[in-house]
Amino acid sequence: MPASEDPVYPATVTSSNIADYPAPDQWFRFIIPIFLHAGIIHIGFNMLLQMTLGREIEQQIGPFRFFLVYFSSGIFGFVLGGNFAATGISSTGASGALFGILALTLLDLLYTWNDRTNPWKDFAFIMLDVVISFILGLLPGLDNFSHIGGFFMGLALGICILHSPNALRKRLDQHEPPYTPVSPYKAGMSDNANSGTVGFIKNPVSFFKGRKPAWWAWWLVRAGSLVFVFIVFILLLNNFYVYRKSCGWCKYLSCLVCPSIPLATTFGIVLTGNRMSTTGAM
């Protein structure tokens, strides 16, 4: 198809503002790539992490919290990549979502540090996974911003939805009910039927009554974390659709050496601002 007839990437429009282009608003591209993978090795590694780390976390915190963190991290990772990744880098897979789950694992370790038998060993394994994944994300053609965004969202949401750190709970003499489990056996839930979210819904006034200052301080941290990540998400979307501002060094967080795409000339691809247009016939 000649460039003059291309309805998506017209060669005559060179503005960096996406509003100047007649392209459709394909917001679903921030969601669908979570389910797409670039080959059997890619999906194999993701499924391995899904069936090990993901399975353990879901059993611990329940399906609703897992679903919330998983998809929020995946979407946020693609939004971050859409803003700052180098032009032409593809981004598919559940890596961003899994990095959110990895962030939950790290938070859970920090919250229960003094109650673990060998916390430094657990910390070393988690950090090894993080470092290896970030290094692999620096390879050409991979979007490390999906990893960074997913990990950031996982940390922010983890502060909001996970139980308070054990040290704080002991200080407040607080005994929170267990998370809603995946298994049909909900041991211990009957003893805490009026605590946690259930207690708040039944009697909001009693839920907040008699709380200590440290409890209020921690809930301010939780609320602040949620508000902060929500504001960042809105700003990123606004930048992607309207301002299209980037930075010269951001691309090196995803690719240390970012050579020009050799196939661009072959297939007639011209980079115009932050977009690509095809100049060859199709």
Side-chain angles (χ1 to χ4, degrees), residues 230-270:
F230 182 77
I231 292 176
V232 172
F233 182 72
I234 295 299
L235 291 176
L236 287 175
L237 283 180
N238 193 46
N239 182 65
F240 179 82
Y241 282 106
V242 180
Y243 298 108
R244 298 298 293 175
K245 293 182 180 180
S246 186
C247 59
W249 57 268
C250 288
K251 62 183 180 181
Y252 296 111
L253 292 176
S254 184
C255 182
L256 288 178
V257 180
C258 300
S260 58
I261 304 176
L263 296 179
T265 305
T266 303
F267 290 98
I269 299 175
V270 177

Side-chain angles (χ1 to χ4, degrees), residues 1-20:
M1 176 186 298
S4 59
E5 299 178 8
D6 190 344
V8 179
Y9 303 114
T12 56
V13 182
T14 59
S15 172
S16 61
N17 191 335
I18 198 170
D20 296 335

Side-chain angles (χ1 to χ4, degrees), residues 32-233:
I32 292 180
I34 298 176
F35 306 97
L36 304 177
H37 291 80
I40 189 67
I41 298 179
H42 187 199
I43 194 174
F45 274 110
N46 278 358
M47 288 301 296
L48 179 63
L49 190 59
Q50 195 101 274
M51 298 302 295
T52 53
L53 180 63
R55 176 176 175 270
E56 294 175 1
I57 290 296
E58 185 178 4
Q59 288 180 335
Q60 179 180 346
I61 67 176
F64 177 75
R65 289 178 176 86
F66 184 89
F67 176 88
L68 177 64
V69 175
Y70 188 89
F71 281 97
S72 297
S73 299
I75 294 171
F76 189 85
F78 290 128
V79 171
L80 188 67
N83 278 272
F84 300 114
T87 305
I89 290 183
S90 60
S91 184
T92 59
S95 299
L98 292 173
F99 258 81
I101 302 303
L102 190 60
L104 288 186
T105 307
L106 178 60
L107 277 179
D108 181 67
L109 170 62
L110 297 177
Y111 285 3
T112 60
W113 187 274
N114 294 329
D115 299 323
R116 299 216 178 198
T117 305
N118 196 344
W120 283 109
K121 179 180 179 181
D122 298 334
F123 180 77
F125 276 114
I126 294 176
M127 294 310 298
L128 181 63
D129 288 338
V130 172
V131 170
I132 291 177
S133 298
F134 276 134
I135 292 177
L136 291 177
L138 294 173
L139 297 176
L142 299 180
D143 182 12
N144 212 15
F145 282 98
S146 180
H147 301 164
I148 297 173
F151 193 79
F152 174 80
M153 177 61 77
L155 287 177
L157 287 184
I159 293 175
C160 299
I161 68 172
L162 291 182
H163 283 163
S164 306
N166 283 4
L168 179 61
R169 294 167 62 187
K170 292 178 181 178
R171 178 181 175 184
L172 299 175
D173 193 25
Q174 182 180 8
H175 303 284
E176 293 176 305
Y179 299 108
T180 303
V182 176
S183 65
Y185 302 100
K186 302 183 179 182
M189 289 296 289
S190 58
D191 297 334
N192 301 281
N194 295 319
S195 302
T197 306
V198 177
F200 172 75
I201 295 175
K202 287 184 176 181
N203 196 340
V205 177
S206 297
F207 180 82
F208 293 104
K209 187 177 181 180
R211 297 293 187 178
K212 298 180 180 180
W215 185 90
W216 285 102
W218 179 246
W219 274 87
L220 284 177
V221 172
R222 284 178 161 177
S225 175
L226 182 61
V227 172
F228 175 73
V229 76
F230 182 77
I231 292 176
V232 172
F233 182 72

